[in-house]
Amino acid sequence: MAKSNDPIGLETVHEAIATIFDQVQTSLANHKKNCVALYKLHLRAAEVARPTQKKNGTTTTKFVGERAFADAFLDMLNRVLEMKKGPAAADRIVKFVGSYVQYLNEKVLQEQAKEGGSAEEDSDTTTSRFVARIIGWLLQGFSAKNKNVRFRCLHLVSELISHIGEVDEDTYSLLREGLIERLNDKETLIRAHAAAALSKLVGSEDPDEMEEGEQSVLDILLEVLATDSAAEVRRASLLNVPLTPATIGTVLKRTRDVDTTTRKIMYTAVLPKLGHPRQLSLVQREQVIKDGLGDREPGVRVAAGKLLTKWFDVILAESDAAVEDDALGAGEGDDSGLMKGLIRFLSLFDVIGSGEVIAVDTLGSIFVTRPDIPEAFAFPESYWQNLTPESAVLARVFVDHCIKNGNETRLEAAALPVVTAFAFHIQEGYNQLLSALENIDNARATGVGQESIDDQEELEEELAKKEVILSELLRMALKLDYGDEIGRRKVFTVVKEMLAHPQLPPGLIERCVDVLKEIMPSERDLIRVVVEIIVELRETEEVEDIDNLLGVPEDQDADISVATDAISRGGRSTRKPRDLDAMSAEEKRTVDMTDIRCLMLCTAVLERVNGSFEDNSTLEGILTDLIVPSVKRKELAIREKALVSLGLCCLIAKNMALRSFQLFIGQVESSPPELKVQVLKVLLDLLIVYDQEFFKNSEAIAQQITGFLIQALQSEEDPGSQAIVCTGICKLVLAGIISEPNVLITLALLYISPSTVENQELRQCLSYFFPVYSYASASNQSRIQSIFLTAYDQAKKIHDDLDEDQEMISPYDFGLMIVDWSDPTKAVQVTGTERSEPQIAHADLAIQLLSALYDEDRSDTDRKAFCQVLNQLHVPADLERRSIHKLDLLISHLSEQCPLENAAIQKIFARFQTKFRHQFQNQLKEIKPSHYVKEEDVAKIYEYIAIEPPQAEEPEPRNEAMVSRSESVDENSESAPASAPAPADPEPESEPAESEPPSRKKRACRSRLSNQAISTQSNQTAISQAQSEEQDDVKPEPEEEAERPSTPTKKGTKRAPAPGTPRGGERKRTRRGTATRKSKEAPQEEEQELQRSPTPPPKKRAPKPRTKNQSRTTNARTNSKRKNSKSAPDTEEEKENGSIREPEAESDLSTLESQ
């Protein structure tokens, strides 16, 4: 340091430093001035030194002034350490400390420069002593118990570390170890500052000095970047990790980070650090653009678009003459060279291969971000004569952009060729493609050796370029105006000739068919032309003279041949069967390749047909002659394409679909994985298109198909096939075709199952499905909440059986997911309309959970989870009074009937109880329990909790609107699965039972049967049997009402199921309850609900094995059920269904053909 001639009194140092710190905490503007003032004060204090003599006689200098200055400085910082993140004054002081240390080191460098750089690097100076004192003092705060102290110490070090200059080896080691240790701190902000500070040490490490097996600072930061759970820590590491070839791969993975801000920072702060886009590899560039432009957040897409414009500006500014493409011509109308710049820009991507889609998206983004660029486009004749893959893609994207935005004027100004001229350009591109094919054939025939292989690779690359050019021309041909008949005929001739060529690349088949569909007058004509081409491709010496056989009618369009007429006559083929066994290997290969090409043509045209199969009789010959024989072939490639073609035919031919359905099911069970994916797609498409035939006409067939789909979903080992089945089932459920609760349970359990962790496609599908399905309507939310207990129990069993290397969310978290899906506040509501359905999903779920708390077999873990879930429910304030009364009954008697012995659980339940009573305090005061005793579901509550009901009274007259709304709510509540109990069985008249002693009425906890086994199909059996029992139990009641006994029922009286659970979910009771009276209104309401239901009532089926959620019944009740099932049915449909036994799966599915 420079010396001052005016030493300062040490007693004034503290006050002077305090004054400076008081100023810097108010504003950042005065920091530089105060740095100068503090530096001068530091110089004057450093001059105060005291010589001391040691015992050995040597004399040393004691820096008294420096020590006093450092003590006062640290005293000021001590006042900041305990301040948490937020106060601006503390952050300004931290900034000032970093600025002052930077200022000190700048002064040291200036002094060294004046001395000619002769100062030693390890010289002991005032600055080095001051910095070492601060660093050593801050390191002590790294392990402080107070998190604010740790945070501020790391915050200060992250500000200082870039400016501390040279430090001794011991201080460096302590600093490095302390920062690495803080990377594991439990506080997110501390880890973030530790990562930022540690990144400054990356360049100071010497790999040769590191011990074997020791991680470098860079490796540690990359691990933090990839694995830290906090987005703030990942961002701190991301912004400070240097971009090198060793780190770029890990850094680029953050474009798919779960945090939106982190992904956005990648495109706004990290990737712009690269000077040129070519610093990334081709694969990396394409991945960056694909992730950015395909992001679900608009902010990330905008940031990626701005990055692309920066890259384009870099390419446009290049002045290297070697990059200029002279073959592009003068570029008329392109004065600024934008088109040439865009063509060079497209060279950053692989437009020949998979990068074509990314290149197209990139151009679209640039056109949106820079709308002035398309205004400069012009296409001279020389442009089309010297087409490259990049220039062809550019022209096509420009045409699509103008048409999409309705800018026809810009298209006309760009001087695009007319239809006839464009047809000649397509012809020229096709000729170049044939020339490339011929060159490859010649090279294969004559070439031998490595040079020949290299030449063949170059020729194949040239063929790929010609294919891309021709493909882009065909795509542009779709946008042309075919009012010019001459041009239309020319395009038709060229495209038909291309399709008839046996060596046309497969990628061009669909493009040609698209053009034909655009220019043909009808689908029938399109099919006839394609069938004619197929006949020509398969034509051999075995085919008789077709022209002489068929002839050409005079009134037929010249563009359309009649070669397919013979095929359409009753589906009879004009070809003799081919004897493949008599052919040579080369002939078989040629025939197989021809058949594959013909099947690809069939697939392409069938995908574009909207009419029925019967309206296009020309297809019958192709079906008989090509598709059906190919389905029987053993070659996998041929059979796959044939099955796809057959499936497409079935989509437009209902009778064919019904006949072929069993064939596709057999193929699913016996096909290899690569073929199974295609067959599953066909199968699921048929189920969606013909839902009426497969699911509505026959309940037995619908059950078998649903069971087949669930079995395929659960047992499929191939992830791709499993994802296809899952997607198809989700579509069927969303469309309302399948509504069985066991399907929802299977999907929900599959979503959290550890077996699907690696199947991201399946989980992505389900993560989209459940919110969309649940929030679509209140009825869907009721279905979701009805599966809570069954799904929870099965999820808990899966969680308990986890292996050591498996992970899965807890059952409680799974329950919270169901609560979120059934949240009535998130249900979709059309703007300007009132809700037509009552929002009672959470109210029903509360009844379901409260009933489960009466089950004494439930563990404390389950009870705690249920109580926590209760506090997350949203019970609507306008809930009808009967539901409020049911909730109040279950809440009020829990403490006396089945108390929660765990104090923590009782405290959680008390919060819900307090919240409920506060929310409905006014309604609870007005509710008279005696008014609801005659209600069936309320009576079941009294029976379930073994509480004596009050004497029934007639309710007071209510407003008609309220009555109507209450009835609709009740009907909805009864129709939702598990939201209300099923009607009780009619009991034979019996003598009144003797009343039980009061001591036996204290507890009514329910216990589950110990011998009930958990089955994967338990919910399906329980729900279906409950529905069947409900239908059986609904019998006409006599007009007179039976008197409700005022005393508990006799021993042996049957119990009603628990409210909020299916009939199959009854629990074993520990004591008897009071008898219930069957309300005569219940059958009427249930019959009305069945009539309103979109699905037919379930038919009676043979009893199935009892599962966990099904209740035991007495022999008397079982016999009663059997007698009821044999009684005469009430409806014609029941008569018909009751007289037929349930057939086997194969025989049922085979009946589809007769339908």
Side-chain angles (χ1 to χ4, degrees):
M1 277 189 176
K3 294 185 177 181
S4 174
N5 296 324
D6 186 15
I8 190 174
L10 298 182
E11 63 277 0
T12 62
V13 170
H14 192 280
E15 182 179 354
I17 293 177
T19 302
I20 293 175
F21 269 78
D22 184 61
Q23 293 178 7
V24 299
Q25 69 179 340
T26 59
S27 175
L28 295 174
N30 58 23
H31 280 194
K32 188 169 184 178
K33 178 190 72 173
N34 282 293
C35 281
V36 176
L38 187 61
Y39 179 69
K40 292 180 179 179
L41 181 63
H42 199 171
L43 286 180
R44 294 170 62 189
E47 294 180 359
V48 180
R50 182 183 305 167
T52 58
Q53 187 173 5
K54 296 183 178 181
K55 295 181 180 181
N56 57 4
T58 59
T59 301
T60 59
T61 302
K62 190 174 183 180
F63 301 102
V64 180
E66 290 183 12
R67 184 178 182 85
F69 180 87
D71 290 341
F73 191 90
L74 295 178
D75 182 59
M76 294 297 104
L77 288 186
N78 280 334
R79 306 169 191 270
V80 182
L81 293 184
E82 293 188 352
M83 299 184 69
K84 61 181 181 180
K85 176 178 169 54
D91 295 337
R92 293 191 189 104
I93 290 177
V94 173
K95 289 279 186 183
F96 174 74
V97 173
S99 300
Y100 180 64
V101 173
Q102 182 182 8
Y103 184 79
L104 286 178
N105 283 281
E106 290 175 354
K107 285 295 182 181
V108 171
L109 294 177
Q110 291 177 5
E111 291 179 7
Q112 291 179 357
K114 290 180 182 179
E115 297 175 2
S118 60
E120 296 181 2
E121 294 182 359
D122 58 347
S123 59
D124 189 16
T125 62
T126 301
T127 299
S128 63
R129 291 191 293 270
F130 176 74
V131 171
R133 175 80 185 276
I134 293 179
I135 294 297
W137 175 74
L138 291 176
L139 285 174
Q140 299 177 19
F142 281 13
S143 57
K145 292 184 178 180
N146 191 325
K147 64 180 181 180
N148 294 329
V149 174
R150 298 199 306 274
F151 163 66
R152 286 298 173 185
C153 288
L154 266 298
H155 192 187
L156 284 164
V157 168
S158 63
E159 287 288 336
L160 296 176
I161 199 166
S162 299
H163 317 297
I164 59 176
E166 297 292 335
V167 294
D168 60 89
E169 188 67 26
D170 294 338
T171 303
Y172 176 84
S173 299
L174 290 174
L175 180 61
R176 182 180 182 276
E177 293 175 0
L179 292 175
I180 293 175
E181 183 181 0
R182 286 307 96 199
L183 287 175
N184 297 319
D185 197 285
K186 63 180 181 180
E187 298 297 328
T188 301
L189 288 174
I190 295 176
R191 299 202 306 273
H193 284 292
L198 196 62
S199 65
K200 305 300 190 299
L201 302 180
V202 171
S204 61
E205 276 191 329
D206 187 0
D208 298 334
E209 297 179 359
M210 296 178 60
E211 298 180 1
E212 185 178 356
E214 182 181 5
Q215 274 190 311
S216 65
V217 172
L218 184 59
D219 293 337
I220 294 173
L221 286 176
L222 292 178
E223 183 179 351
V224 170
L225 177 62
T227 61
D228 198 282
S229 59
E232 294 86 349
V233 182
R234 297 197 301 273
R235 286 199 294 268
S237 180
L238 179 65
L239 292 171
N240 292 281
V241 167
L243 293 179
T244 63
T247 63
I248 193 65
T250 305
V251 170
L252 290 181
K253 291 181 180 179
R254 293 304 98 201
T255 58
R256 300 181 65 85
D257 196 280
V258 295
D259 179 61
T260 303
T261 306
T262 303
R263 300 197 304 272
K264 188 175 180 180
I265 285 176
M266 276 293 299
Y267 294 95
T268 57
V270 178
L271 290 174
K273 294 179 183 178
L274 299 173
H276 198 285
R278 294 191 186 277
Q279 289 181 329
L280 300 175
S281 66
L282 175 63
V283 176
Q284 290 172 342
R285 288 195 297 268
E286 291 181 350
Q287 189 64 42
V288 165
I289 301 306
K290 179 182 178 182
D291 293 342
L293 297 181
D295 198 279
R296 60 179 175 268
E297 294 295 333
V300 181
R301 294 197 297 269
V302 171
K306 292 181 179 179
L307 176 67
L308 284 175
T309 56
K310 292 179 181 179
W311 285 2
F312 172 65
D313 291 337
V314 171
I315 298 297
L316 192 62
E318 288 181 343
S319 58
D320 189 358
V323 182
E324 296 291 340
D325 192 351
D326 297 333
L328 292 178
E332 300 174 10
D334 184 23
D335 298 334
S336 58
L338 291 176
M339 292 182 66
K340 292 182 179 180
L342 285 171
I343 292 173
R344 293 198 301 272
F345 178 73
L346 287 177
S347 64
L348 295 174
F349 309 99
D350 181 19
V351 297
I352 301 176
S354 60
E356 180 186 1
V357 177
I358 299 173
V360 171
D361 293 340
T362 300
L363 286 177
S365 175
I366 291 177
F367 287 167
V368 172
T369 309
R370 296 273 301 275
D372 58 302
I373 291 180
E375 297 298 326
F377 274 46
F379 297 96
E381 185 64 24
S382 59
Y383 187 92
W384 305 103
Q385 295 175 355
N386 301 280
L387 282 175
T388 63
E390 291 79 11
S391 61
V393 170
L394 178 62
R396 195 260 295 180
V397 174
F398 169 76
V399 172
D400 290 344
H401 176 75
C402 292
I403 293 177
K404 179 180 178 181
N405 294 279
N407 196 350
E408 300 291 341
T409 305
R410 181 83 278 277
L411 272 178
E412 295 177 0
L416 287 173
V418 296
V419 177
T420 305
F422 205 86
F424 282 102
H425 291 314
I426 296 176
Q427 181 71 61
E428 180 64 24
Y430 177 53
N431 293 338
Q432 294 179 4
L433 179 71
L434 294 179
S435 177
L437 286 171
E438 185 179 355
N439 293 336
I440 291 178
D441 292 339
N442 295 335
R444 289 174 178 173
T446 60
V448 177
Q450 184 63 35
E451 294 183 359
S452 176
I453 295 176
D454 296 339
D455 292 341
Q456 288 184 19
E457 291 178 354
E458 293 179 1
L459 291 174
E460 289 176 356
E461 184 177 356
E462 185 67 22
L463 175 63
K465 291 181 180 180
K466 301 302 180 184
E467 181 180 347
V468 171
I469 294 173
L470 188 55
S471 175
E472 298 302 322
L473 290 174
L474 291 172
R475 289 185 179 185
M476 281 187 281
L478 294 173
K479 313 297 182 182
L480 299 178
D481 182 10
Y482 289 100
D484 181 6
E485 181 64 19
I486 298 177
R488 187 191 74 84
R489 288 179 176 272
K490 178 61 178 175
V491 172
F492 171 80
T493 303
V494 174
V495 173
K496 182 181 177 183
E497 181 184 353
M498 291 170 59
L499 284 174
H501 196 284
Q503 293 184 344
L504 181 71
L508 296 177
I509 292 178
E510 291 189 357
R511 301 285 170 261
C512 293
V513 174
D514 286 333
V515 175
L516 282 182
K517 182 182 179 182
E518 183 69 22
I519 63 180
M520 297 304 294
S522 65
E523 284 186 355
R524 183 188 296 270
D525 296 333
L526 170 65
I527 294 173
R528 290 171 65 88
V529 170
V530 174
V531 170
E532 175 193 353
I533 295 172
I534 293 174
V535 172
E536 291 177 358
L537 286 173
R538 305 184 78 231
E539 195 175 38
T540 63
E541 65 277 1
E542 299 174 359
V543 181
E544 300 177 2
D545 189 359
I546 294 180
D547 293 334
N548 298 331
L549 177 67
L550 301 177
V552 180
E554 296 180 358
D555 59 344
Q556 183 167 338
D557 192 331
D559 292 343
I560 304 172
S561 173
V562 294
T564 58
D565 282 351
I567 297 178
S568 64
R569 296 172 185 172
R572 300 181 64 182
S573 174
T574 62
R575 293 168 47 90
K576 298 178 182 178
R578 293 177 298 182
D579 187 6
L580 296 178
D581 296 334
M583 296 182 183
S584 64
E586 185 64 26
E587 290 175 344
K588 287 183 180 180
R589 181 179 177 276
T590 303
V591 170
D592 290 346
M593 294 301 296
T594 302
D595 286 347
I596 290 177
R597 179 173 297 277
C598 293
L599 289 171
M600 294 174 66
L601 270 172
C602 289
T603 302
V605 72
L606 289 171
E607 288 176 345
R608 290 154 177 81
V609 170
N610 296 319
S612 65
F613 192 86
E614 291 75 12
D615 295 338
N616 299 282
S617 57
T618 314
L619 292 172
E620 295 180 2
I622 294 299
L623 177 68
T624 306
D625 190 55
L626 175 63
I627 298 177
V628 174
S630 298
V631 170
K632 302 175 182 178
R633 296 284 298 274
K634 296 181 180 180
E635 292 79 6
L636 187 61
I638 297 178
R639 188 151 56 98
E640 175 185 352
K641 290 178 171 53
L643 286 170
V644 172
S645 298
L646 179 60
L648 292 171
C649 290
C650 292
L651 290 178
I652 59 176
K654 182 173 68 173
N655 294 332
M656 187 189 304
L658 299 179
R659 292 195 303 267
S660 305
F661 189 77
Q662 191 66 43
L663 167 67
F664 290 118
I665 289 183
Q667 291 293 326
V668 168
E669 297 172 351
S670 61
S671 299
E674 54 271 20
L675 179 58
K676 185 181 294 185
V677 170
Q678 298 297 333
V679 178
L680 285 172
K681 290 180 179 179
V682 172
L683 197 65
L684 292 166
D685 286 343
L686 293 179
L687 293 177
I688 294 174
V689 172
Y690 302 112
D691 60 301
Q692 181 69 32
E693 288 72 16
F694 288 115
F695 291 96
K696 306 299 183 184
N697 292 342
S698 173
E699 183 71 18
I701 293 177
Q703 291 289 342
Q704 293 167 19
I705 293 176
T706 304
F708 166 77
L709 293 176
I710 292 180
Q711 181 183 4
L713 182 63
Q714 293 175 336
S715 61
E716 185 57 56
E717 298 180 356
D718 179 58
S721 301
Q722 190 180 36
I724 292 296
V725 177
C726 179
T727 304
I729 293 177
C730 290
K731 290 179 180 179
L732 292 169
V733 175
L734 280 175
I737 299 173
I738 293 179
S739 58
E740 296 184 7
N742 65 311
V743 176
L744 293 175
I745 294 174
T746 302
L747 293 176
L749 294 176
L750 204 64
Y751 185 34
I752 64 171
S753 173
S755 63
T756 62
V757 171
E758 302 298 330
N759 196 343
Q760 292 300 315
E761 184 180 356
L762 179 143
R763 290 207 167 187
Q764 181 70 20
C765 170
L766 292 176
S767 67
Y768 173 83
F769 161 75
F770 277 110
V772 171
Y773 174 77
S774 303
Y775 304 151
S777 66
S779 60
N780 288 353
Q781 289 187 325
S782 294
R783 293 189 186 96
I784 288 292
Q785 67 84 18
S786 70
I787 69 172
F788 183 93
L789 285 180
T790 305
Y792 177 89
D793 291 337
Q794 295 189 24
K796 183 182 177 184
K797 183 178 184 300
I798 296 174
H799 189 271
D800 294 341
D801 296 340
L802 286 178
D803 296 335
E804 295 181 357
D805 58 341
Q806 291 181 328
E807 294 183 357
M808 173 185 166
I809 64 173
S810 65
Y812 168 67
D813 292 332
F814 177 58
L816 291 182
M817 291 168 55
I818 298 180
V819 170
D820 179 73
W821 295 334
S822 58
D823 188 352
T825 62
K826 296 184 178 181
V828 175
Q829 181 179 8
V830 181
T831 306
T833 61
E834 296 183 357
R835 295 187 184 274
S836 59
E837 298 176 312
Q839 310 296 310
I840 59 172
H842 274 193
D844 290 342
L845 182 56
I847 295 175
Q848 196 176 358
L849 293 174
L850 289 170
S851 301
L853 291 177
Y854 281 81
D855 184 359
E856 65 179 5
D857 284 351
R858 291 283 182 184
S859 64
D860 285 346
T861 303
D862 291 346
R863 293 190 172 194
K864 181 179 180 181
F866 294 162
C867 291
Q868 289 174 328
V869 169
L870 283 171
N871 285 280
Q872 302 297 326
L873 299 180
H874 177 82
V875 182
D878 60 345
L879 185 66
E880 52 96 20
R881 294 189 176 184
R882 189 172 66 176
S883 295
I884 297 175
H885 180 51
K886 290 191 290 185
L887 288 170
D888 184 47
L889 281 177
L890 292 169
I891 292 173
S892 302
H893 297 90
L894 180 64
S895 59
E896 62 179 87
Q897 299 296 84
C898 199
L900 302 173
E901 299 176 356
N902 188 299
I905 301 177
Q906 177 61 40
K907 185 177 180 180
I908 299 173
F909 179 77
R911 287 204 303 268
F912 171 73
Q913 184 178 13
T914 304
K915 176 184 174 182
F916 171 78
R917 299 201 181 282
H918 177 73
Q919 182 179 2
F920 299 104
Q921 54 183 346
N922 296 330
Q923 293 90 327
L924 290 173
K925 293 178 182 178
E926 300 173 358
I927 291 176
K928 293 184 178 181
S930 58
H931 291 172
Y932 300 96
V933 171
K934 294 184 179 180
E935 302 288 349
E936 183 72 18
D937 50 351
V938 177
K940 294 180 186 299
I941 294 278
Y942 281 109
E943 180 194 12
Y944 182 72
I945 62 178
I947 296 297
E948 193 71 27
Q951 188 66 31
E953 294 181 8
E954 291 297 329
E956 299 177 0
R958 290 179 292 174
N959 187 290
E960 291 298 328
M962 178 62 72
V963 172
S964 175
R965 181 183 179 281
S966 176
E967 290 176 355
S968 66
V969 171
D970 297 344
E971 292 172 0
N972 185 279
S973 177
E974 292 175 3
S975 64
S979 62
D985 293 327
E987 299 292 341
E989 294 184 3
S990 59
E991 297 179 1
E994 297 180 0
S995 59
E996 298 181 4
S999 60
R1000 297 183 61 186
K1001 299 181 181 179
K1002 292 184 179 180
R1003 289 195 58 164
C1005 293
R1006 303 305 191 248
S1007 63
R1008 292 179 289 182
L1009 296 177
S1010 59
N1011 60 346
Q1012 288 179 335
I1014 297 176
S1015 172
T1016 56
Q1017 299 180 349
S1018 61
N1019 190 70
Q1020 177 184 4
T1021 307
I1023 297 297
S1024 59
Q1025 184 168 343
Q1027 293 175 348
S1028 178
E1029 290 177 358
E1030 282 184 354
Q1031 186 172 2
D1032 292 341
D1033 290 344
V1034 177
K1035 301 295 180 182
E1037 290 282 329
E1039 293 298 328
E1040 321 66 92
E1041 289 188 14
E1043 259 188 335
R1044 177 185 301 279
S1046 59
T1047 58
T1049 58
K1050 291 198 307 181
K1051 184 176 181 180
T1053 300
K1054 303 182 186 65
R1055 316 283 301 218
T1061 59
R1063 290 178 64 91
E1066 293 178 5
R1067 310 291 186 188
K1068 181 179 179 181
R1069 275 62 173 177
T1070 57
R1071 58 162 284 127
R1072 300 182 304 276
T1074 57
T1076 60
R1077 177 183 58 83
K1078 183 174 182 66
S1079 173
K1080 67 180 180 180
E1081 290 83 7
Q1084 299 174 1
E1085 292 178 359
E1086 198 164 63
E1087 183 178 357
Q1088 295 173 2
E1089 185 63 26
L1090 289 173
Q1091 293 174 357
R1092 288 192 297 268
S1093 177
T1095 58
K1099 299 180 181 179
K1100 301 173 185 177
R1101 297 182 301 275
K1104 299 182 180 180
R1106 185 169 58 253
T1107 57
K1108 177 179 177 180
N1109 291 323
Q1110 291 178 300
S1111 62
R1112 285 186 176 178
T1113 57
T1114 61
N1115 292 333
R1117 178 168 181 172
T1118 304
N1119 295 333
S1120 175
K1121 292 296 179 183
R1122 292 175 180 173
K1123 292 179 180 179
N1124 291 338
S1125 64
K1126 296 179 181 178
S1127 59
D1130 296 334
T1131 63
E1132 291 297 326
E1133 183 178 354
E1134 291 180 357
K1135 291 178 181 178
E1136 180 182 354
N1137 294 333
S1139 62
I1140 301 175
R1141 295 186 61 185
E1142 182 174 342
E1144 296 296 328
E1146 184 174 356
S1147 60
D1148 273 346
L1149 293 175
S1150 62
T1151 61
L1152 288 170
E1153 182 178 352
S1154 61
Q1155 298 176 9

